[in-house]
Amino acid sequence: MSNVKDRVRQRRQQGNGGGEQAPARRSELDVKVDKARHMFGRMQDEFAAALPKHVGIDRFMRMAVTCMRKNPALLDCDPPSVLAALLEAA
């Protein structure tokens, strides 16, 4: 079995004439998710205080971001209402 990294690198080079790889453009969804992640991070201490002891803050934050990715319409909601809902869920 050949080295997977070498095969991926080779395919990338073939895709743009063998030159340097073009910088990847971030999707609108990725930008919105990053903004939400930053917003959640500012509330991390409040979430941690509300969570039960058996649920870690890292897990809770990952689940919140995953919910945003699964249902992108949530990213268009009013930010304070999203934060309030997450705090209540915690």
Side-chain angles (χ1 to χ4, degrees):
M1 184 169 157
S2 62
N3 187 340
V4 174
K5 288 182 183 180
D6 291 337
R7 289 179 18 207
V8 169
R9 188 179 306 116
Q10 183 180 18
R11 284 186 183 173
R12 284 182 180 162
Q13 289 175 348
Q14 289 173 351
N16 61 1
E20 289 293 318
Q21 181 179 354
R25 296 187 81 187
R26 296 181 61 205
S27 71
E28 184 179 347
L29 176 64
D30 288 337
V31 172
K32 286 183 175 183
V33 168
D34 283 346
K35 286 181 182 179
R37 185 180 288 122
H38 179 71
M39 181 177 61
F40 299 163
R42 291 185 308 215
M43 293 283 295
Q44 189 169 349
D45 293 339
E46 288 82 1
F47 294 148
L51 285 169
K53 298 296 180 206
H54 68 279
V55 179
I57 186 63
D58 292 334
R59 182 174 185 209
F60 181 79
M61 298 290 276
R62 281 192 313 270
M63 290 185 331
V65 171
T66 299
C67 286
M68 294 292 167
R69 282 198 174 278
K70 283 184 165 182
N71 188 355
L74 292 172
L75 293 165
D76 295 327
C77 293
D78 185 43
S81 67
V82 171
L83 293 174
L86 287 171
L87 192 58
E88 189 173 336

